[in-house]
Amino acid sequence: MSNYYISFLKFSLGLLLCLGHQIVWSQAIITEVVPEEITVLGRQSWDTGLIDAPVKVEVLNKEYFEQQQYQDLSQGISDIPGVSTANTARRSGSKSALIQGFGENSVLVMIDGTPISQNSSFGFDLSQISTSDIEKVEVIKGGASALYGSQAMGGVINIVTKRPQKKTKVDLDISSAQATSGESGFSRNLQLNSSGHFSSIGSKLSLSYRDQDSFDLDPKTIGKEGVGFEKIHGSLYLEKKWREINLFTNYILLKGKTTSQSSRPYSSSAFGPSINETDTTTQNFKLGLETKLGPGSLRGVLNYETTEDIVNLNDNPNTPFNETLKDTRFEAKRFDLIYKDIKVANHDLTLGILVKEDEVNQETTTQAVEQIIVKTQDIDQKRIRSYEGYLQDTYFYGNFELSPGVRYQYDDNFGSYAAPKVNISHYTDWQSLSFKSWLTVGTGFRTPSVKERFFTLDHTSVANYIVIGNDQLEPEESVSIQLGEEIKFSNDFTIHTNFFLNKVSNLIDTVERETGTSSRLFTYDNFDEVISRGVEVGMKSQVSSRLSAKLNYTYNETINQKTNNLLANRPLHVGLFSLNYDVAKRWNFQSLSRFFGSKYIDNENQKTSPQYSVVDLRASYQWSKKLKIYSSLNNAFNTTRVPIQDTVVPVIDDRPTLGRQIFIGLKMEVL
């Protein structure tokens, strides 16, 4: 039987397991169903962070993350059609966002409307963000809004955090998981949230600690499939209202350490272990105010962020020293000023300015023998400054909402660029049906990142290749089109379709250079033109008062127009089906099945990673008003990649490294 039919059989069986809930518990007591997903067209408040986003915004709320038992953002973001995560080969265990064929540098990740800097060697790691402090997550796909900068060419992910409550409240969430196959893989999770008001100051403290032991599918080999990690996510938010002014400050700490083990040749006939460790600490400080001013509302934010990224590459554990240690330090300074809700006739205007500066320093320490230490300054105080301004209008004409806008950008190295955008939405009802239609056309402009211009990565000792930056890169330019329709029936049944086309000129990607030696050299270069196109379809239904269902499917192809090849690491087909079933007043059961199509793992379209499906089964019990117990069987059919072998040329397989896993936890209200 072919792999395709095996994967399809598993996916189908997952659906049957979902549907079985209705048969087994058909006599259950009626309970209220918590809404899982929200689609918004139109205006947003300050609290959302997606200020005045007059475009299609898809939202996952805190109830959804809790219901699905997700521990970090990467586990839930791919539940939105057209959005997925990509494993980052350059950083084991990390997951970056992929929206409609755009990834890493083209997806803007924000916390409460303020961007978080990317890592030095890949895009922002979504697994670093704990779900404990998430109020909701909002996603805009494509370059639809003028309110977000060049990095939002592919889309925007905004994480809205929780706000201080009037009544003092303390929540504690403890969980752990254990793989049922392979070796080790035990994980632990601790989440603590405290919120309240002290005197006239509102405060919120959030802390999450997560760790996982490394695991191995085949103990007979040296390499291990799963990384060991330790991740800390902390946040302290304070706010003070004084007359018409709201003053606030926020401190965010993101600290992650991962350790992976591969094998490398020690001699012509023997292999030995190679250890790769990363230790990253990001601290983000924010100070801002919000107030009514004349006909609108004003918001000003000062933001300062530091990131230290220490990478221990290709270390031989048999030596007392680190062979290659790379230390990268970032500083990001930013000032945003936004003036919104400016009423002029039947128009609603938003305008803003942004000033930012990024600085990076990088040093590499190498040792071949214990007595000789060589330090190399790879990057010495390289700075990128930019100045941006934007204007967006929103007005209604009958059943139409029109939102034209433009964003102006000036970069020290690449000069000026203006990116116009427009969104048109239409709302109408016919008998028992409600229709929402949208068309967005947006242009984008993205200058090369610090990584693409300056960063170096030496992997000669383990994989015989080097990646270096290219300071001769040209900016990317894009045109993004989204065309969609959503139909809601009177019986809580909704279907939607969204067609998208993204065209990028001068796309920046890695290429291999000729060296004349056995070593391989990669750098970044501009591709003439790349097109990402596809369709997203979905269905949401409240089948009964106890049972709700969701089905998503995305087809996406990203093509290099010059070679007519598909870009690597982008599956053509992705599907999701989930059922949520409430039993009695306290029990909840869920089943979620995902299907991932095969994908090319090289830009020459010669090698593929196989398709696969994963089924998760979940249950929770509300013991009391202040105590909830939950458990799940993740990857129920134990779908895993081929175990890593001790070879010079690694086999790339993007199927799960962690097989079947038993997960259990409890959440309690301490105060």
Side-chain angles (χ1 to χ4, degrees), residues 192-209:
L192 176 67
N193 284 281
S194 174
S195 179
H197 274 73
F198 302 92
S199 184
S200 58
I201 298 177
S203 67
K204 179 214 65 180
L205 174 65
S206 176
L207 179 63
S208 168
Y209 175 84

Side-chain angles (χ1 to χ4, degrees), residues 7 87 594-598 609-614 639 654-656:
S7 296
N87 295 318
R594 302 177 191 267
F595 175 78
F596 300 89
S598 61
S609 180
Q611 61 192 5
Y612 65 94
S613 61
V614 175
T639 301
D654 277 346
R655 286 177 293 181

Side-chain angles (χ1 to χ4, degrees), residues 418-433:
K421 308 166 189 281
V422 64
N423 179 80
I424 303 172
S425 303
H426 180 260
Y427 310 85
T428 188
D429 295 325
W430 182 73
Q431 295 184 0
S432 61
L433 303 178

Side-chain angles (χ1 to χ4, degrees), residues 77 83-86 95-99 102-105 107 109 123-126 157:
I77 196 68
V83 183
S84 60
T85 59
K95 293 183 179 294
S96 57
L98 190 69
I99 299 181
F102 288 92
E104 295 196 3
N105 294 320
V107 175
V109 180
F124 183 78
D125 181 13
L126 299 178
I157 298 174

